Amino acid sequence: MERQRYKIAILGGTGAQGGGLALRLAVAGHAVSIGSRDAARARTAAAELAARVGKAIAGADNRAAAAAAEIAVLTVPYAAQRATVEEVLAELEGKILIDATVPLVPPKVGVVQLPEGRSAVAAIQALAGQNVRVVSAFQNVSAQHLGDLAHPVDCDVLVCGDDRVACDTVIALAADIGLSGLYAGVLANSAAAEALTSVIITINRRYKVPGGAGIRITGIPESG
Amino acid sequence: MERQRYKIAILGGTGAQGGGLALRLAVAGHAVSIGSRDAARARTAAAELAARVGKAIAGADNRAAAAAAEIAVLTVPYAAQRATVEEVLAELEGKILIDATVPLVPPKVGVVQLPEGRSAVAAIQALAGQNVRVVSAFQNVSAQHLGDLAHPVDCDVLVCGDDRVACDTVIALAADIGLSGLYAGVLANSAAAEALTSVIITINRRYKVPGGAGIRITGIPESG
């Protein structure tokens, strides 16, 4: 399959997770823009990221970034998830929205606290409706490792979504940045990835994991 | 730390998951008994397992098996989880109950369907009260790999519980059978391991994984 290059907006891209994804996607040849509530902050963050990798990275407010993109990635804190999607919703019609949100509820971020027993992303799909192709991914990837471009990230990416073609696109994007993405089922299955992040936080503390733990799925045949 | 040998009852041990755990725990030197609703079935299964490994393995009804054991392991289908615990509850006072139950809801076992947004084991702790030391573990370990004694199992064990000493005991038991157990947080965090099993089932189907996939947590320091 020919590698596709996309215009990708990282909404909440001024954070560590979004910044790390932006860096690696830019290196892989995608046209990356950073979105933030504050356009000036987005431009500053974009310039810093661009300087690190010698690639053009744009900055804009979330809505403008989403409007200009073919694919949007949501990397905001859980508390800002819904408001951010509401803000950009009109710009996402027919597009893929990759939601990396984890429903961490401070201060107990190491305790699984799924919203009403469902995944956080399920609420976003319900909000966005069927014209936005929502895919859940990247919840378990350490921001620190993502930002450390000298090393590959030792973590698989669980990719969940009700749109299988959109899931395949996200799996290809993960491959572009050196990550093995695995189709992990319908969007509701994102509950596993979201819950796992609190487990990883607990393990990071208990075992003093440098840079943060990750997950691997074992047993996948090479030709998988 | 000196390796301890325990009397361990596998409740629902006539199934594949329980049988695999029984085999490996017996090989490791523990005194294993198989529990079942039907004592005759338990004895038959125990004799077959014992013959495979050349170790004594007892069989009894669930209640008698629990009464004679120091540690009980629950490996029944989700639909039988609550009734089985109710049946043996009086025998578990002060003991460790390792719950391996996954809330799979047929026919869609590849879809995460956590009970009311909580873990299945949380309901068991609520039922059992504070005098039973409930620990969640082994949800993600393939029964087929467990039963294949010629090969190590390529899967980590997420161990969740509110009693940290009991969790350490379960981590040591996992080590006895060649599995790396990791403290994964409070009992509520079992939601991650339980949800992950549906993801693994989906991955097994999608990627045609021989014997079943597993998980590894990456980044743990060797001395961890």
Side-chain angles (χ1 to χ4, degrees), chain B residues 16-17 19-21 23-24 52 142-150 153:
Chain B
Q17 187 87 358
L21 287 170
L23 287 171
R24 290 185 184 255
R52 280 191 58 190
S142 151
Q144 189 171 331
H145 289 315
L146 274 177
D148 175 12
L149 297 176
V153 180

Side-chain angles (χ1 to χ4, degrees), chain A residues 124-150:
Chain A
I124 294 306
Q125 180 73 76
L127 169 66
Q130 294 308 309
N131 288 330
V132 180
R133 306 165 74 194
V134 180
V135 176
S136 151
F138 300 115
Q139 288 90 353
N140 306 133
V141 183
S142 152
Q144 189 171 331
H145 289 315
L146 273 179
D148 175 11
L149 296 177

